[in-house]
């Protein structure tokens, strides 16, 4: 597996990836997703034999805060260390940033995965999060 910057947006492969994990809010508005990628601070892709199998998208200022907006891995490639490798690539690249955040679904598997990567629930560190949708 190879991880590298995702610099050329390929709508077909991105929509396939998002659809494969059921993120239809993104696939319903492909032009908005494309703009999101264009305005992201960093996007990394994970490749297996030249095929995009995972992506991580980062937004923020890159100095005081980094927010992992999206982390996706094709279902048939999950549980093979690809998501962990993508997160570790971001954590290494932004090791000097004080706040690295993400929001995720509240499933036990998701929470366990992010905790294994060094993240804590905000309530565990005396914080809370708010979201307007």
């Amino acid at each position: 597996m190879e991880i590298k910057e995702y610099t050329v947006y390929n709508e077909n492969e991105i929509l396939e990836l998002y659809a494969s994990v059921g993120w239809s809010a993104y696939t319903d508005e492909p032009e908005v997703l494309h703009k999101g990628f264009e305005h992201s601070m960093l996007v990394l892709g994970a490749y297996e034999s030249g095929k995009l199998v995972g992506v991580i998208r980062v937004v923020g200022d890159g100095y005081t805060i980094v927010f992992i907006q999206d982390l996706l891995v094709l279902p048939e490639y999950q549980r093979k260390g690809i998501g962990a490798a993508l997160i570790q690539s971001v954590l290494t690249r932004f090791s000097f940033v004080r706040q690295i955040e993400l929001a995720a679904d509240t499933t036990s598997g998701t929470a366990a995965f992010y905790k294994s990567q060094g993240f804590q629930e905000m309530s565990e560190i005396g914080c809370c999060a708010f979201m307007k949708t």
Side-chain angles (χ1 to χ4, degrees):
M1 181 206 29
E2 177 185 20
I3 294 178
K4 61 183 179 180
E5 285 196 40
Y6 187 84
T7 56
V8 178
Y9 187 83
N10 178 320
E11 185 173 271
N12 290 334
E13 70 183 358
I14 292 298
L15 291 179
E16 176 189 338
L17 182 57
Y18 278 74
S20 76
V21 296
W23 289 15
S24 60
Y26 288 93
T27 59
D28 288 346
E29 297 184 85
E31 65 284 348
V32 173
L33 181 58
H34 187 180
K35 288 289 185 190
F37 267 72
E38 285 179 343
H39 293 278
S40 295
M41 190 172 65
L42 174 69
V43 180
L44 298 175
Y47 296 85
E48 189 70 47
S49 302
K51 176 183 173 75
L52 181 70
V53 298
V55 72
I56 192 166
R57 189 164 71 90
V58 177
V59 297
D61 63 26
Y63 293 93
T64 64
I65 188 167
V66 167
F67 191 89
I68 297 173
Q69 176 61 35
D70 297 337
L71 172 63
L72 303 93
V73 176
L74 288 172
E76 61 269 27
Y77 289 89
Q78 291 176 7
R79 301 197 181 284
K80 298 180 184 221
I82 295 169
L86 286 165
I87 286 178
Q88 290 307 310
S89 294
V90 168
L91 295 179
T92 298
R93 183 173 288 212
F94 296 106
S95 62
F96 56 90
V97 175
R98 186 174 72 84
Q99 280 184 266
I100 300 179
E101 299 179 15
L102 59 88
D105 296 334
T106 54
T107 65
S108 60
T110 302
F113 171 71
Y114 289 119
K115 285 182 178 191
S116 77
Q117 299 304 306
F119 288 87
Q120 295 175 286
E121 291 187 35
M122 288 203 172
S123 62
E124 295 173 344
I125 57 172
C127 296
C128 65
F130 299 90
M131 182 182 292
K132 182 180 180 315
T133 60

